[in-house]
């Protein structure tokens, strides 16, 4: 894999565009080719895979993805960065630049993408919207079978957390609904420009068959949201509003085989599915 961007190239590109990275858009650019190689390797893309990259920025990861994927869709909200990207690809990977489609768009507003349909989400995500972006894209693009995303380490830990831990919450259960997720490593701040004040983490996920247990996603997520909105309460109390009263909540919980005195943070995604199914039956 060649053509990757190092510190000098990143500075030069940014200076040429008059770009000064903004916090608002979570702009921390990777200027370390080894980190790009590591992300691309962890994504495990095959030659038939079509990558969806959110926030390509100056193109560090995009170039790595172009080296292995059949096609890369890059969705970037910043017009200056989006406009420059095809040129960067053409200059640095001339034989592969035609595999790139750049979309000037907010990833949270993506509803469809033109062919070829993306099979893998691979991104160094803007940290302020990382979880909503992952959940939105999984909901919107059923062709996505897997993903490898870099997010703030704390968020990575939350995304892969299991029941019973303090950091287990709505993002953990919702990602578990879509598939299996695992931590795929830690990334130090010094591979970015500008240097963030937090560590980053990689999260890998693989989609499972849906809808799980024959219950629509919205119904399951409504239970999850209600349970964690008051996470210290028992499920009987926390789900009262959702069920139409504590007695009804207790009935649904009993039908699902869940102890009404338990708390949401103790339940795995299967139990949330069972509660949603019980409420609908
Ligand atoms: N992938 C590049 C890299 O690794 O060097 C840049 C990653 S940087 C952490 C995040 C990128 O996401 C920035 O280029 C930023 O402009 C872009 N971005 C921020 N919010 C976005 C959104 N809602 N939709 C699409 N892109 C977004």
């Amino acid at each position: 894999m060649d053509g990757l961007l190092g510190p000098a190239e990143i500075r030069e590109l940014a200076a040429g565009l008059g770009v000064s990275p903004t916090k608002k858009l979570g702009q921390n650019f990777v200027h370390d080719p080894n980190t790009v190689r590591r992300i691309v390797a962890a994504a495990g893309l095959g030659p038939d895979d079509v990558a969806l990259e959110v926030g390509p920025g100056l193109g560090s990861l995009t170039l790595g993805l172009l080296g292995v994927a059949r096609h890369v869709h890059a969705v970037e909200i910043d017009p200056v960065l989006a406009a420059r990207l095809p040129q960067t690809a053409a200059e640095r990977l001339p034989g592969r630049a035609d595999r790139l489609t750049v979309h000037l768009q907010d990833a949270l507003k993506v509803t469809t993408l033109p062919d070829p349909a993306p099979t893998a989400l691979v991104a160094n995500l803007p940290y302020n919207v990382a979880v909503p972006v992952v959940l939105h894209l999984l909901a919107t693009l059923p062709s996505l079978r897997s993903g490898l995303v870099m997010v703030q380490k704390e968020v990575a830990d939350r995304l892969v957390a299991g029941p019973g831990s303090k950091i287990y919450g709505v993002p953990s259960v919702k990602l578990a609904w879509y598939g299996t997720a695992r931590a795929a490593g830690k990334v130090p701040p010094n591979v970015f420009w500008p240097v963030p004040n937090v560590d980053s983490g990689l999260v890998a996920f693989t989609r499972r068959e849906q809808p799980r247990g024959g219950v629509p996603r919205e119904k399951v997520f409504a239970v999850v949201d209600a349970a964690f909105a008051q996470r210290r309460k028992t499920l009987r109390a926390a789900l009262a509003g959702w069920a139409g009263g504590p007695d009804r909540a207790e009935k649904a919980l009993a039908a699902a085989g869940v102890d009404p005195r338990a708390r949401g943070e103790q339940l795995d995604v299967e139990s949330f599915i069972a509660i949603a199914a019980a409420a609908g039956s």
Side-chain angles (χ1 to χ4, degrees):
M1 212 191 294
D2 54 359
L4 299 179
L5 303 168
E9 290 86 7
I10 288 287
R11 301 286 163 110
E12 200 181 305
L13 266 171
L17 292 171
V19 164
S20 33
T22 73
K23 266 214 163 121
K24 189 169 154 248
L25 292 179
Q27 292 177 333
N28 296 93
F29 303 114
V30 172
H31 64 182
D32 173 45
N34 279 332
T35 301
V36 170
R37 289 187 190 102
R38 190 176 153 205
I39 295 173
V40 173
L45 301 183
D48 290 335
D49 272 311
V50 174
L52 167 57
E53 184 188 6
V54 169
L58 293 165
S60 308
L61 179 57
T62 321
L63 293 167
L65 293 171
L66 282 171
V68 295
R70 177 158 76 90
H71 198 88
V72 178
H73 291 284
V75 177
E76 173 59 62
I77 201 171
D78 184 323
V80 176
L81 298 176
R84 179 62 164 85
L85 194 57
Q87 189 187 334
T88 303
E91 284 166 5
R92 304 198 65 89
L93 283 178
R96 299 216 160 214
D98 61 344
R99 299 177 178 214
L100 174 66
T101 312
V102 179
H103 308 267
L104 173 58
Q105 214 179 348
D106 179 344
L108 288 168
K109 300 206 171 124
V110 167
T111 49
T112 54
L113 286 171
D115 282 345
T119 60
L121 172 66
V122 189
N124 169 16
L125 290 171
Y127 288 1
N128 39 353
V129 287
V131 171
V133 163
V134 170
L135 296 177
H136 170 71
L137 293 174
L138 282 169
T140 312
L141 303 171
S143 61
L144 286 175
R145 306 304 312 161
S146 67
L148 190 286
V149 293
M150 177 147 73
V151 297
Q152 210 173 311
K153 176 73 171 52
E154 193 195 312
V155 174
D157 292 344
R158 250 186 284 148
L159 281 170
V160 303
S165 82
K166 278 223 161 63
I167 55 172
Y168 181 67
V170 173
S172 337
V173 189
K174 289 188 177 174
L175 188 57
W177 185 87
Y178 285 105
T180 49
R182 65 181 173 80
K186 193 169 136 180
V187 179
N190 62 359
V191 305
F192 299 95
W193 173 74
V195 180
N197 49 18
V198 290
D199 280 327
S200 299
L202 302 177
V203 174
F205 54 85
T206 311
R207 198 192 277 263
R208 282 192 271 204
E209 200 185 315
Q210 283 147 13
R212 310 270 309 268
V215 190
R217 180 185 69 236
E218 294 75 13
K219 294 209 160 156
V220 180
F221 283 12
V223 182
V224 175
D225 288 332
F228 284 99
Q230 305 177 72
R231 66 182 288 152
R232 283 162 128 182
K233 291 200 174 171
T234 64
L235 285 165
R236 184 179 190 277
L239 297 183
W242 161 82
D247 292 343
R248 284 191 179 195
E250 182 156 352
K251 220 172 131 201
L253 289 161
V258 174
D259 182 349
R261 292 161 305 178
R263 297 194 171 94
E265 63 198 27
Q266 295 166 270
L267 302 191
D268 63 9
V269 68
E270 305 303 335
S271 301
F272 282 108
I273 294 168
I275 297 168
S281 60

